[in-house]
C-alpha cells in the first residue's frame, strides 16, 4: 500500500469516528461554523479515502478536533493510533490555548478510551458536577432565606402584593406564606 493511501485510509477512519452515526450532510451542515468551511463534498471525499488534506484543511481539522498539528500528523503517518490522537497529553493538549470541547469531539474522545478510563472520566465528571451542584443549592438556599427574612423583618404586616411576589419566588403557595405572616405578626 502506498504511503498516501495509508494516510487517506486513516483520515477516512478519523472522519467517520468524528461524524458518528449522523449523515455526512447533516454533520457538515450542523457544524459548518466549527468546521471552518470544510464542506460536505470535502468531508465525504475524505471518508471515501479519495482526498488528502491541503494545508488549509489540515489547519481547520486540527482546530475542529482540538489537537496539535504534530498529533494529527503522527496519526495520519501511522506513528500514533486513533485512541492516542484524542488523549489529552503534554504533546497535544495545551491548557493555555483555546481547546475544542464540543460535544462531538468530546464524545469521540470518550468513546476512544478503554473501559477503566471511561469510568474514571465519568466519576471525575460526576464529582465536579456534585461540587457545582452543591454550590448552586447553597446559593439558592441563601437567596430563599434572604427573601423570607426581608418579608418577615418588617415592623408591619406585609402588603398582599409583597406576599404574593415572595411566594412565587420561593415556590410556595401564597396561602401558606400568608399563614406564616399571620403567625409571625400576631
Amino acid at each position: 500500500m502506498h504511503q498516501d493511501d495509508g494516510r487517506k485510509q486513516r483520515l477516512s477512519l478519523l472522519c467517520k469516528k468524528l461524524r458518528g452515526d449522523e449523515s455526512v450532510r447533516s454533520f457538515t451542515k450542523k457544524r459548518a461554523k466549527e468546521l471552518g468551511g470544510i464542506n460536505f463534498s470535502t468531508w465525504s471525499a475524505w471518508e471515501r479515502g479519495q482526498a488528502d488534506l491541503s494545508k488549509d484543511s489540515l489547519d481547520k481539522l486540527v482546530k475542529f478536533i482540538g489537537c496539535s498539528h504534530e498529533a494529527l500528523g503522527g496519526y495520519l503517518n501511522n506513528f500514533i493510533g486513533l485512541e492516542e490522537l484524542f488523549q489529552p497529553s503534554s504533546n497535544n493538549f495545551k491548557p493555555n490555548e483555546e481547546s475544542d470541547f464540543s460535544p462531538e469531539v468530546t464524545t469521540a474522545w470518550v468513546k476512544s478510551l478503554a473501559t477503566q478510563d471511561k469510568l474514571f472520566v465519568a466519576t471525575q465528571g460526576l464529582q465536579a458536577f456534585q461540587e457545582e451542584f452543591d454550590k448552586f443549592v447553597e446559593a439558592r438556599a441563601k437567596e430563599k432565606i434572604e427573601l423570607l427574612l426581608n418579608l418577615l423583618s418588617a415592623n408591619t404586616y406585609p402588603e398582599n402584593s409583597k406576599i404574593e411576589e415572595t411566594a412565587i419566588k420561593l415556590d410556595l403557595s401564597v396561602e401558606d406564606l400568608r399563614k406564616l405572616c399571620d403567625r409571625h405578626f400576631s
Side-chain angles (χ1 to χ4, degrees):
M1 183 188 305
H2 191 266
Q3 184 180 5
D4 283 347
D5 291 339
R7 276 179 61 92
K8 288 177 185 175
Q9 187 177 34
R10 284 185 289 282
L11 177 60
S12 171
L13 289 172
L14 171 63
C15 290
K16 289 175 184 174
K17 185 162 186 80
L18 290 170
R19 178 175 56 87
D21 294 332
E22 198 169 1
S23 74
V24 177
R25 190 168 303 281
S26 174
F27 174 81
T28 54
K29 185 177 180 181
K30 285 182 183 175
R31 288 156 197 82
K33 185 177 177 183
E34 295 170 73
L35 290 169
I38 298 172
N39 60 29
F40 163 78
S41 59
T42 301
W43 194 275
S44 184
W46 289 344
E47 282 198 15
R48 291 190 315 271
Q50 296 175 337
D52 204 343
L53 296 165
S54 66
K55 171 70 175 117
D56 182 50
S57 59
L58 175 69
D59 292 341
K60 291 174 183 176
L61 191 56
V62 160
K63 185 175 182 187
F64 177 71
I65 295 171
C67 67
S68 67
H69 282 82
E70 295 80 16
L72 182 56
Y75 166 72
L76 292 173
N77 293 312
N78 206 23
F79 295 120
I80 65 170
L82 189 56
E83 298 78 29
E84 295 171 90
L85 177 63
F86 293 109
Q87 294 287 331
S89 71
S90 58
N91 293 335
N92 65 8
F93 182 72
K94 298 174 178 76
N96 295 335
E97 291 182 10
E98 205 172 298
S99 298
D100 180 6
F101 286 106
S102 67
E104 296 79 21
V105 173
T106 303
T107 299
W109 174 71
V110 170
K111 285 181 178 179
S112 74
L113 298 174
T115 302
Q116 68 271 18
D117 294 333
K118 287 177 187 171
L119 183 57
F120 175 76
V121 169
T123 57
Q124 293 301 307
L126 287 172
Q127 286 176 357
F129 175 76
Q130 183 65 48
E131 291 169 11
E132 292 298 312
F133 185 72
D134 289 347
K135 289 177 188 174
F136 172 76
V137 168
E138 186 177 325
R140 291 287 294 151
K142 285 180 180 177
E143 287 174 20
K144 288 185 174 199
I145 290 169
E146 190 173 310
L147 283 169
L148 195 53
L149 286 174
N150 286 343
L151 183 71
L152 299 175
S153 64
N155 293 331
T156 60
Y157 196 90
E159 295 178 15
N160 275 336
S161 62
K162 185 72 173 168
I163 293 173
E164 290 171 4
E165 178 186 321
T166 304
I168 291 169
K169 289 179 181 177
L170 293 174
D171 197 24
L172 293 173
S173 78
V174 175
E175 191 56 40
D176 287 343
L177 193 52
R178 276 199 187 105
K179 287 178 186 176
L180 180 62
C181 288
D182 290 345
R183 278 184 265 165
H184 180 72
F185 289 101
S186 60

